[in-house]
Amino acid sequence: MKVLFVTDFNSYTNPGGAQFSNRAIIEKGQELGFDITEHNWTSSKLQLLPRYDLVISSNFQAHAQEKGNHIFNYVVNHPLHVRYEHDSCHYLLEDARRTLFLSSKLNFFLSDFHLEFFQHLYGNIFKNNTVVYDPIDVDIFQKSDCKKIYDVMYCGYAHEHKGFKEFLNYAKINSDKKLAFLGWFTADTINLKEDLDKLNNIESIEKVEPEEVYKYLQKTKAIFHKPIVREPFCRMVAEALLCGCELIGHKDKIGSYLEYTKVGEEEFRNKCRNASTLFWEKIKEL
């Protein structure tokens, strides 16, 4: 089966949780024999010329801003379109969002919480839905008996919407605690780095490869995450929970935490382990 996987960015150009999950899904599909072409924001339109049996749409914000909406129209008019939703899809206008989801033969959501808040925000327009967790390598993201070095860690993109300013305030109030920041800044958030550098109790760790993050999570007592928006799943929090970290943050806004507390650690771990396989099993059923 020839598959076109449409998304804004990949894990090399934008190393976020959604991009790493997309990569895991694509790699599993290729392992299972699917012929997959990934189409990103900077990809050539010539990729649209071949005939594809299936189109999967994922993150779509940059594509949605394209003049003429060529990619959007291509996706929603394909006879076998599947939606792999990672966020809140707030960037689309109501009519476009409705068209996108109603054109899909199957809508993947990341948690029960994810699907429920979509239905609350946008109404009952989501048909043929299924919930599949973010795929995580649970063989490395697991608890360890190693010494806990950090009391609290912030992991990921430093941004106000992710609660980074609150993390800095937490550090000021808890000057006796050893904290760590493992992540990155962009040109838009460089002012937050200046604020970070003024604090002596936060160790700033250079950005490490995703496969190495578990080594730091296993040395951490608690992960800090206070997003101002709903997190459909949050891969980072899931990885931290699997490594035995407590969560300091908005527990009612984070899909992975809600799933973890609902189904328990063992089932949660198994669902993360099998997520990419389950994704393609659902595809084969179409």
Side-chain angles (χ1 to χ4, degrees), residues 95-112:
D95 287 346
R97 187 186 307 110
R98 179 182 293 272
T99 299
L100 179 66
F101 280 92
L102 291 180
S103 73
S104 172
K105 298 298 187 289
L106 183 62
N107 298 312
F108 284 92
F109 292 91
L110 303 180
S111 64
D112 289 339

Side-chain angles (χ1 to χ4, degrees), residues 2-193:
K2 287 182 64 66
V3 180
L4 183 68
F5 196 106
V6 180
T7 185
D8 286 350
F9 308 104
N10 59 37
S11 60
Y12 304 102
T13 57
N14 188 45
Q19 288 72 39
F20 288 116
S21 293
N22 284 345
R23 187 169 82 182
I25 291 292
I26 291 171
E27 289 175 351
K28 173 58 71 172
Q30 291 170 333
E31 177 187 320
L32 293 171
F34 291 89
D35 180 6
I36 304 173
T37 299
E38 187 175 7
H39 186 85
N40 303 129
W41 171 239
T42 57
S43 298
S44 169
K45 298 297 188 296
L46 294 177
Q47 285 186 335
L48 305 182
L49 293 179
R51 178 186 176 277
Y52 295 97
D53 304 299
L54 167 70
V55 170
I56 300 172
S57 69
S58 183
N59 300 65
F60 222 68
Q61 187 165 2
H63 288 301
Q65 297 169 358
E66 176 197 31
K67 186 176 181 181
N69 293 321
H70 299 297
I71 302 300
F72 181 86
N73 290 331
Y74 178 89
V75 166
V76 299
N77 286 296
H78 193 277
L80 188 55
H81 163 225
V82 165
R83 178 68 183 158
Y84 185 28
E85 183 60 55
H86 281 292
D87 53 29
S88 300
C89 203
H90 62 278
Y91 48 83
L92 289 180
L93 296 176
E94 181 178 357
D95 287 346
R97 187 186 307 110
R98 179 182 293 272
T99 299
L100 179 66
F101 280 92
L102 291 180
S103 73
S104 172
K105 298 298 187 289
L106 183 62
N107 298 312
F108 284 92
F109 292 91
L110 303 180
S111 64
D112 289 339
F113 171 69
H114 191 193
L115 176 56
E116 288 164 5
F117 81 67
F118 257 69
Q119 292 170 331
H120 174 74
L121 288 174
Y122 306 128
N124 190 26
I125 64 170
F126 309 101
K127 312 297 182 183
N128 304 317
N129 306 312
T130 189
V131 171
V132 175
Y133 290 2
D134 273 331
I136 295 174
D137 186 350
V138 299
D139 291 329
I140 62 173
F141 288 97
Q142 57 181 311
K143 295 176 181 177
S144 170
D145 294 330
C146 65
K147 182 181 178 181
K148 303 299 182 185
I149 298 175
Y150 308 109
D151 292 305
V152 183
M153 176 180 287
Y154 180 105
C155 186
Y157 179 34
H159 197 284
E160 292 181 28
H161 290 177
K162 297 289 187 180
F164 191 74
K165 275 197 170 182
E166 291 198 54
F167 174 66
L168 298 179
N169 290 334
Y170 180 90
K172 293 174 185 177
I173 296 170
N174 296 277
S175 58
D176 59 321
K177 293 184 181 294
K178 182 171 178 57
L179 279 63
F181 165 67
L182 193 162
W184 68 95
F185 299 89
T186 63
D188 296 332
T189 62
I190 198 65
N191 61 306
L192 296 176
K193 184 179 187 306

Side-chain angles (χ1 to χ4, degrees), residues 172-224:
K172 293 174 185 177
I173 296 170
N174 296 277
S175 58
D176 59 321
K177 293 184 181 294
K178 182 171 178 57
L179 279 63
F181 165 67
L182 193 162
W184 68 95
F185 299 89
T186 63
D188 296 332
T189 62
I190 198 65
N191 61 306
L192 296 176
K193 184 179 187 306
E194 296 171 357
D195 295 336
L196 170 69
D197 291 340
K198 296 174 184 177
L199 298 171
N200 297 321
N201 61 328
I202 302 180
E203 178 182 340
S204 185
I205 303 168
E206 294 294 326
K207 189 172 66 172
V208 300
E209 292 300 315
E211 296 80 7
E212 301 295 311
V213 170
Y214 76 95
K215 296 179 181 179
Y216 297 90
L217 293 176
Q218 290 173 343
K219 299 174 184 177
T220 301
K221 296 178 183 177
I223 201 75
F224 189 100

